[in-house]
Amino acid sequence: MKKLVIVESPAKAKTIGQYLGSDFVVMASFGHVRDLPKTKLGIDPAKHFEVTYQNIPRAKKIIDQLKKELINTDELLLATDHDREGEAIAWHLVAALKPKVPVHRISFNEITKTAVTNAVANPRNISQELVDAQQARRILDRLVGYKLSPLLWKKVYRGLSAGRVQSVAVRLIVEREREIKAFKPREFWTITAEFSAKNGAFSAYIAKAGSTGKQEFATKAEVDKIVKQLKNADFSVNTLTVADSQLRPQPPLITSTLQQAAARFYGFSAKRTMKIAQELYEGVDIPGKGSIGLITYMRTDSHAIADQARREASDVIAKTYGAQYLPERPNVFSKKVRGAQEAHEAIRPSHFSLKPADIQSDLSPDQRKIYQLVYNTAAASQMTPATVETTVATIAGGNQQFIARGRKLVFDGFLAQLPSDDERFEPLPGLAEKEALKLKKLNDEGHMTEPPARFGEASLVRELEKRGIGRPSTYAPIMSTIVDRGYVTKQTGRFFPEDVAFIVIDLLVNNFPNIVDYDFTAQLEDKLDEIAEGRKKLEPVLKEFYDPFAQLLKEKEKTIEKKTVVDENTGKKCPKCGKDVVIKLGRFGKFYACSGFPQCDHTAPVIDEKDQELSKEITEETKNPCPKCGKALEMKQSRFGSFIGCSDYPNCKYTKSIVVGTGVKCPNCGKELVRKNTRKGKVFWGCSGYPNCKTAYWDEPTGEKCPQCQGVMVNKKSGLTCSQCGFSKDDQVTDKVEVGKTNK
């Protein structure tokens, strides 16, 4: 019998094709083939939430190819990913292909010969419960987006959008920013001392009375008084406590912790991390072995590891480190993630025998980093705890009590596989009770309390997971969406809310509290899980959410005031009518506008500071008349940036790009690279010798040369990167960092 197997990607098809015989044809659907229509809601709440799906235009050719292959096929096997999204893709494929042969669903957590052949030998039907759970999420998100976004257009400005989960993420960022702005720093002081003993020197700190924590002093005067008293005091060891403790290994990675670790060690975005993990899951060409799936499925919230994989890990650990590094009983990690249930295993290597060092030359720099993270964490999770000897000494003198702590690594255990800079091992010199000590130096240190840190991708994912908001497949899209929609920007790896984020979140909190309520959103996620488990039905869950939402939406359209943006005064006068000029907020950001609008339509962009610094000629340029019609030129702004245009637009559509110098020489002709705008306002960097030299870059060139190919290094959002070979400056540093160690 000839069987057609459909997966999502060509890489996955290539890997699976190696494990199946000549009776199987493996083809890729390239993801979803059907979706809700782009230009209309596609859902009818009045007809039991009837959904209208359409074939995706780009999938037409793929669907035709799959139908053609089905003609000579005896069975269709749907091998899409092992989660709700994969189940939905399989369901949509059946609807689009309308096969006349038996259809079965096969799924596997890792792409290995054993896993694939077992799945083929044990096919099942498509799970309608999993499909309904995915549909429920898609329908809820579409209802919120298509119903609430138009209201934002009317009450704020066009182009805004609202999302069921994304808006909650933006609220977290906005509230953190307000905490930072409201924070009032407080100064405090601490005192540490350096002592010398018979067997060496060490440091200690003044402790709180009845506690081992550091004593904080309110003023420098108080500190100076104590320091003066201590300088002539006698010191000795009062008590000495020595105890052994164990450091236990962390669980193997799940989606959220993989994203957090990749962000912490390598500065990877969630989107970048998941793309690399997908490549490792689907298969990488290893010379002599073919295409091999290196890790298990990367969208998971379970810490479990299959028994067979655990046995393989134990064999590798025993051979590498010795039997003493294996626990008497396998380490089992409890499932602490709210709603965790979608996947059966944590992210682990498909083959523990393939160590990172053995295949590093076959992987890209990014793939090496992610594979090393996955491998080392999974292997360490199956090892014995580390044993640490902790010594605490209390030191008396001058009516003060000092505390000194020392830590000594007795047995490294899992740290042999996963060393960590978070664990410091600095033992105290050999001390004895009542031993006299010599005071070498007193240090008084001033400190300021600090506001909470802004969210980065790792900390935002951690916060969403802690609150039960979103699931493994949604974290990366949330990060991308809130940036793409202009609610937040990323600077130095942290999220900064834009002005519009404060306005929209306040509007939603005041008028649609459930939409951005943390507990309500988490409870809705739980209901989607219950649909997947067959404990709830699709329509009642949708109805429970939509009916009160639709009623509230109808009421708020009448009661929310139009003007929700507060204009900023500038002190400037309108050149057309003489009225005050204010700063308004529009879909492309802030802009100057006449307060007499709509009677006066004068507007001007708030020019980017970089434009002001780099181009002194802009002001002079706008003094010249339009070369087409003779009217005045003025600065304008689009979503892509500032440009010069005719003041008589739309009657005259003359525009001119802003050209600003960079101080960087063109690598081809030596002339200066300049910052330009396309006719549509998009910024790029090109040679000032154009058209004789057509060198151009979409990302800002730095003038620095790539250490690998001598190409031009450019500033991408992901970091300093070579424009030719793709070498990342971060790679040069972090390749030397062992997994578990932070890059200093």
Side-chain angles (χ1 to χ4, degrees):
M1 291 179 65
K2 187 176 180 182
K3 300 179 181 181
L4 173 62
V5 181
I6 301 179
V7 297
E8 297 97 321
S9 74
K12 189 175 178 181
K14 180 181 178 181
T15 307
I16 290 174
Q18 296 177 154
Y19 304 140
L20 300 175
S22 58
D23 292 338
F24 293 84
V25 175
V26 187
M27 297 180 69
S29 71
F30 293 86
H32 276 283
V33 295
R34 295 201 314 164
D35 198 3
L36 293 167
K38 278 192 173 183
T39 56
K40 57 183 180 180
L41 181 62
I43 302 162
D44 190 347
K47 294 183 179 179
H48 307 286
F49 296 92
E50 182 181 283
V51 182
T52 302
Y53 288 109
Q54 294 180 349
N55 289 349
I56 300 171
R58 63 146 179 84
K60 182 181 183 305
K61 185 178 178 181
I62 297 163
I63 292 171
D64 291 342
Q65 291 172 346
L66 293 173
K67 283 182 175 179
K68 186 177 179 180
E69 190 64 42
L70 269 173
I71 294 173
N72 301 315
T73 298
D74 300 305
E75 184 181 1
L76 174 61
L77 297 176
L78 301 167
T80 47
D81 281 347
H82 181 56
D83 61 4
R84 298 174 193 173
E85 200 71 26
E87 206 74 15
I89 292 174
W91 182 75
H92 283 299
L93 279 166
V94 173
L97 298 176
K98 299 180 175 59
K100 297 179 180 179
V101 297
V103 178
H104 292 103
R105 173 85 165 103
I106 61 172
S107 58
F108 32 80
N109 190 50
E110 60 183 353
I111 304 180
T112 61
K113 185 172 184 179
T114 301
V116 172
T117 52
N118 283 344
V120 171
N122 298 280
R124 61 174 174 83
N125 295 324
I126 292 174
S127 168
Q128 192 59 47
E129 289 82 6
L130 292 178
V131 172
D132 284 348
Q134 189 275 343
Q135 283 197 99
R137 179 184 294 280
R138 188 77 178 91
I139 291 169
L140 287 169
D141 290 345
R142 172 59 68 101
L143 289 171
V144 171
Y146 268 60
K147 294 291 186 180
L148 197 52
S149 296
L151 179 68
L152 295 179
W153 299 356
K154 293 176 186 177
K155 305 302 180 182
V156 186
Y157 58 77
R158 286 190 65 82
L160 290 176
S161 60
R164 186 180 59 84
V165 178
Q166 292 87 347
S167 294
V168 176
V170 174
R171 181 183 178 182
L172 284 168
I173 294 167
V174 165
E175 290 184 346
R176 177 60 57 86
E177 191 69 21
R178 282 178 168 153
E179 285 181 53
I180 293 169
K181 288 180 178 178
F183 181 81
K184 294 181 180 179
R186 175 180 60 84
E187 186 178 34
F188 67 95
W189 297 77
T190 57
I191 300 174
T192 58
E194 294 178 25
F195 293 105
S196 61
K198 181 180 178 181
N199 293 315
F202 63 97
S203 62
Y205 58 85
I206 292 183
K208 294 179 183 178
S211 169
T212 58
K214 283 188 178 181
Q215 175 67 51
E216 295 180 2
F217 301 95
T219 65
K220 181 69 164 64
E222 185 181 3
V223 168
D224 290 342
K225 183 179 178 181
I226 293 172
V227 168
K228 186 177 180 180
Q229 292 172 349
L230 290 173
K231 282 184 177 178
N232 298 317
D234 295 324
F235 297 91
S236 62
V237 177
N238 190 21
T239 62
L240 200 62
T241 306
V242 181
D244 284 348
S245 60
Q246 289 190 329
L247 292 176
R248 299 191 177 279
Q250 60 183 288
L253 296 171
I254 58 177
T255 303
S256 60
T257 53
L258 171 63
Q259 292 173 1
Q260 291 167 37
R264 178 188 174 195
F265 297 131
Y266 310 128
F268 286 1
S269 68
K271 184 177 181 179
R272 182 179 178 185
T273 299
M274 296 310 289
K275 176 181 177 293
I276 301 161
Q278 184 90 31
E279 294 168 358
L280 295 173
Y281 166 69
E282 292 179 344
V284 176
D285 283 322
I286 306 296
K289 297 179 182 292
S291 182
I292 295 179
L294 292 177
I295 65 172
T296 54
Y297 193 54
M298 61 285 157
R299 294 185 181 91
T300 174
D301 46 19
S302 168
H303 291 306
I305 286 185
D307 290 340
Q308 182 180 348
R310 184 179 284 113
R311 287 192 292 270
E312 184 185 352
S314 297
D315 290 342
V316 172
I317 292 165
K319 289 177 183 176
T320 305
Y321 300 107
Q324 68 272 30
Y325 285 83
L326 291 174
E328 293 182 6
R329 295 181 180 179
N331 295 332
V332 177
F333 301 92
S334 60
K335 185 169 60 178
K336 294 183 179 180
V337 180
R338 178 174 177 174
Q341 60 187 5
E342 260 190 270
H344 300 298
E345 278 199 83
I347 307 171
R348 61 164 175 82
S350 302
H351 309 276
F352 278 96
S353 57
L354 283 178
K355 297 180 180 179
D358 298 338
I359 58 172
Q360 63 176 347
S361 61
D362 305 316
L363 305 179
S364 71
D366 284 358
Q367 288 173 340
R368 283 201 299 271
K369 292 171 183 175
I370 297 300
Y371 186 63
Q372 188 180 24
L373 268 180
V374 171
Y375 188 99
N376 286 358
T377 309
S381 75
Q382 301 306 302
M383 296 172 69
T384 52
T387 303
V388 180
E389 180 186 271
T390 302
T391 303
V392 179
T394 62
I395 297 142
N399 296 322
Q400 299 291 339
Q401 177 175 275
F402 286 81
I403 297 286
R405 292 178 177 276
R407 300 177 84 221
K408 178 182 176 182
L409 185 63
V410 178
F411 175 65
D412 56 359
F414 76 94
L415 292 175
Q417 180 73 39
L418 191 70
S420 173
D421 270 356
D422 290 340
E423 300 296 340
R424 304 283 184 179
F425 302 107
E426 297 176 1
L428 290 175
L431 299 174
E433 289 188 1
K434 310 306 178 184
E435 179 181 352
L437 302 173
K438 182 180 179 181
L439 177 65
K440 294 173 63 180
K441 187 179 180 182
L442 283 169
N443 301 307
D444 52 19
E445 297 179 82
H447 310 271
M448 296 294 289
T449 55
E450 296 183 351
R454 290 181 176 88
F455 286 110
E457 289 210 359
S459 55
L460 186 56
V461 167
R462 185 165 58 247
E463 187 68 20
L464 290 170
E465 182 186 49
K466 184 179 76 174
R467 293 176 181 269
I469 297 167
R471 289 297 182 261
S473 61
T474 66
Y475 297 135
I478 288 171
M479 306 296 132
S480 299
T481 300
I482 61 178
V483 174
D484 293 343
R485 290 183 177 176
Y487 286 115
V488 302
T489 56
K490 274 186 76 176
Q491 301 173 33
T492 61
R494 299 286 177 176
F495 289 118
F496 288 74
E498 295 286 358
D499 293 332
V500 67
F502 292 93
I503 295 164
V504 170
I505 291 303
D506 286 345
L507 185 148
L508 294 177
V509 169
N510 293 331
N511 297 282
F512 300 91
N514 280 355
I515 296 297
V516 287
D517 180 76
Y518 303 128
D519 291 336
F520 179 83
T521 306
Q523 289 163 10
L524 199 52
E525 293 285 357
D526 293 340
K527 290 174 183 176
L528 298 182
D529 293 340
E530 290 179 288
I531 293 173
E533 295 165 2
R535 293 190 286 122
K536 282 189 181 294
K537 295 296 182 183
L538 174 63
E539 186 179 345
V541 171
L542 296 177
K543 190 174 179 62
E544 183 182 0
F545 170 84
Y546 182 74
D547 285 355
F549 170 67
Q551 180 60 37
L552 184 60
L553 189 67
K554 190 175 180 181
E555 295 171 4
K556 293 299 180 180
E557 283 182 342
K558 299 175 183 177
T559 58
I560 297 178
E561 293 183 7
K562 167 69 176 176
K563 188 175 181 180
T564 57
V565 184
V566 178
D567 298 337
E568 298 179 34
N569 293 320
T570 64
K572 298 179 180 180
K573 296 295 180 182
C574 175
K576 284 188 175 181
C577 70
K579 292 186 177 180
D580 291 339
V581 171
V582 295
I583 294 179
K584 290 182 176 287
L585 191 62
R587 62 182 302 187
F588 302 135
K590 290 184 175 182
F591 65 97
Y592 295 116
C594 179
S595 59
F597 181 83
Q599 287 75 25
C600 178
D601 62 356
H602 167 73
T603 61
V606 176
I607 302 171
D608 184 89
E609 289 181 5
K610 198 167 188 179
D611 288 341
Q612 291 177 334
E613 293 173 4
L614 297 177
S615 181
K616 297 178 181 178
E617 293 82 15
I618 291 175
T619 304
E620 293 300 320
E621 184 72 33
T622 56
K623 289 180 181 179
N624 297 324
C626 173
K628 274 192 173 182
C629 69
K631 294 192 176 179
L633 294 175
E634 59 184 21
M635 288 294 302
K636 293 181 177 288
Q637 191 161 351
S638 74
R639 63 183 298 182
F640 301 110
S642 304
F643 64 98
I644 296 170
C646 182
S647 59
D648 195 31
Y649 179 87
N651 296 322
C652 177
K653 296 183 179 179
Y654 171 79
T655 62
K656 184 177 181 180
S657 298
I658 298 172
V659 178
V660 291
T662 64
V664 178
K665 290 185 178 181
C666 172
N668 292 329
C669 71
K671 292 188 176 181
E672 186 181 21
L673 293 174
V674 294
R675 184 171 178 260
K676 300 182 178 182
N677 292 64
T678 66
R679 288 185 177 181
K680 293 185 177 180
K682 189 171 183 180
V683 174
F684 72 101
W685 287 262
C687 182
S688 57
Y690 179 87
N692 296 324
C693 179
K694 297 182 179 179
T695 301
Y697 306 92
W698 285 117
D699 301 291
E700 182 180 9
T702 64
E704 186 176 342
K705 289 188 176 181
C706 172
Q708 289 191 171
C709 72
Q710 298 303 301
V712 176
M713 299 294 285
V714 296
N715 273 318
K716 285 183 173 287
K717 289 182 179 179
S718 57
L720 203 60
T721 306
C722 178
S723 59
Q724 289 182 214
C725 70
F727 169 80
S728 171
K729 192 69 177 290
D730 290 338
D731 295 341
Q732 190 179 29
V733 177
T734 53
D735 273 343
K736 299 177 182 178
V737 179
E738 295 179 78
V739 174
K741 289 191 175 182
T742 53
N743 176 24
K744 303 299 182 185

